Amino acid sequence: MKKFVAPSILSADFNNLGKDIEMLNNSMADYIHFDVMDGVFVPNISFGIPVIEHVNKISKKPLDVHLMIVKPDKFIVPFKNAGASIITVHFETCQHLHRTIHFIKELGIKASVCLNPHTPVELLADIIADLDMVLLMSVNPGFGGQKFIENTYKKVNQLRNLIDGKNSECLIEVDGGVNFETGKKLYEAGANVLVAGSFVFNSEDPKTTISQLKEL
Ligand code: DX5
Ligand code: ZN
């Protein structure tokens, strides 16, 4: 099973963001995860295009952009142009998900769908073959540092079975409350990509924490 780590800059030091990106560039991180929030789909506002444009100028890692926004179709091209390598839209915000996913892929970048904790995996059965990644929220989106929702392990298992059943190469990413304990169980359940924000950036040595997450 391929194992990846995608630190979320939601918990980075925005007074010294360049320093944190340099740390990530020199770490075992596979992606940099950006939690874009609009204050409508989720009860918080984080950051947008300018931050991703500036990080893209210095990042040596692919940018994994998680759109927690309504009407994501309006912003796919701007985020692609800002440097996104992967764009994740929420299932709950897309009326024509198949069209949205293919629009992202036609831009030459990876397409991913995110499910909130209450949204069943089975809803992806007819789109899974088109996806590069599925992001499962293990907290209710909007804030870092929340408690991991235990039902996520079952959803990872279900999604792993769905993906394997379709002979798909689709990755499983999990976001929220990831630490050494939950991360190890998530990999064991079949997840590939761990998003970690507070656990990484609040640790004594973020670079080492990232390496240790990779080796779980
Ligand atoms: C929730 C955010 C968080 C963030 C990671 O909307 O998506 O899940 O990425 O948060 P931590 O790792 O601090 O729980
Ligand atoms: Zn995220």
Side-chain angles (χ1 to χ4, degrees):
M1 187 76 64
K2 288 180 276 188
K3 292 181 179 178
F4 304 106
V5 174
S8 163
I9 66 155
L10 190 66
S11 301
D13 173 2
F14 276 79
N15 287 325
N16 295 284
L17 190 55
K19 186 172 67 54
D20 278 351
I21 300 302
E22 272 317 302
M23 179 277 291
L24 294 177
N25 281 340
N26 299 315
S27 77
M28 299 272 285
D30 298 282
Y31 307 95
I32 300 178
H33 187 85
F34 295 82
D35 285 305
V36 178
M37 302 178 188
D38 64 1
V40 178
F41 177 63
V42 292
N44 193 10
I45 295 174
S46 58
F47 45 74
I49 305 275
V51 168
I52 288 156
E53 275 172 345
H54 282 82
V55 171
N56 188 45
K57 290 191 174 91
I58 60 172
S59 172
K60 297 193 183 103
K61 308 283 180 176
L63 309 190
D64 169 25
V65 176
H66 175 192
L67 297 181
M68 288 168 271
I69 66 174
V70 296
K71 300 187 183 351
D73 290 324
K74 287 168 54 181
F75 295 96
I76 289 165
V77 170
F79 276 107
K80 189 264 181 188
N81 292 341
S85 294
I86 307 174
I87 290 182
T88 297
V89 295
H90 267 259
F91 179 89
E92 302 87 357
T93 63
C94 294
Q95 271 168 326
H96 302 288
L97 182 60
H98 183 276
R99 180 182 289 140
T100 300
I101 290 300
H102 284 274
F103 180 67
I104 295 170
K105 292 171 75 123
E106 280 150 25
L107 293 172
I109 58 174
K110 302 270 186 217
S112 167
V113 174
C114 186
L115 300 182
N116 274 339
H118 69 282
T119 306
V121 162
E122 294 79 8
L123 289 172
L124 296 176
D126 293 311
I127 190 98
I128 199 78
D130 303 72
L131 297 175
D132 297 300
M133 185 164 81
V134 173
L135 171 51
L136 295 179
M137 288 310 299
S138 36
V139 296
N140 287 298
F143 304 92
Q146 299 181 86
K147 189 174 174 325
F148 182 87
I149 297 172
E150 295 289 319
N151 188 56
T152 309
Y153 298 123
K154 186 193 78 178
K155 290 181 76 172
V156 170
N157 260 312
Q158 288 170 335
L159 183 54
R160 175 48 60 204
N161 293 334
L162 179 62
I163 289 168
D164 292 352
K166 302 267 182 181
N167 292 317
S168 158
E169 289 299 307
C170 180
L171 296 176
I172 301 176
E173 184 175 51
V174 181
D175 183 354
V178 170
N179 55 38
F180 289 149
E181 186 204 341
T182 58
K184 183 169 172 43
K185 288 183 192 167
L186 286 166
Y187 279 146
E188 286 164 0
N192 303 105
V193 189
L194 302 181
V195 174
S198 52
F199 188 64
V200 166
F201 287 101
N202 297 347
S203 69
E204 274 297 298
D205 178 351
K207 196 164 163 238
T208 303
T209 302
I210 293 165
S211 303
Q212 290 170 330
L213 282 169
K214 273 283 283 185
E215 276 133 37
L216 286 175

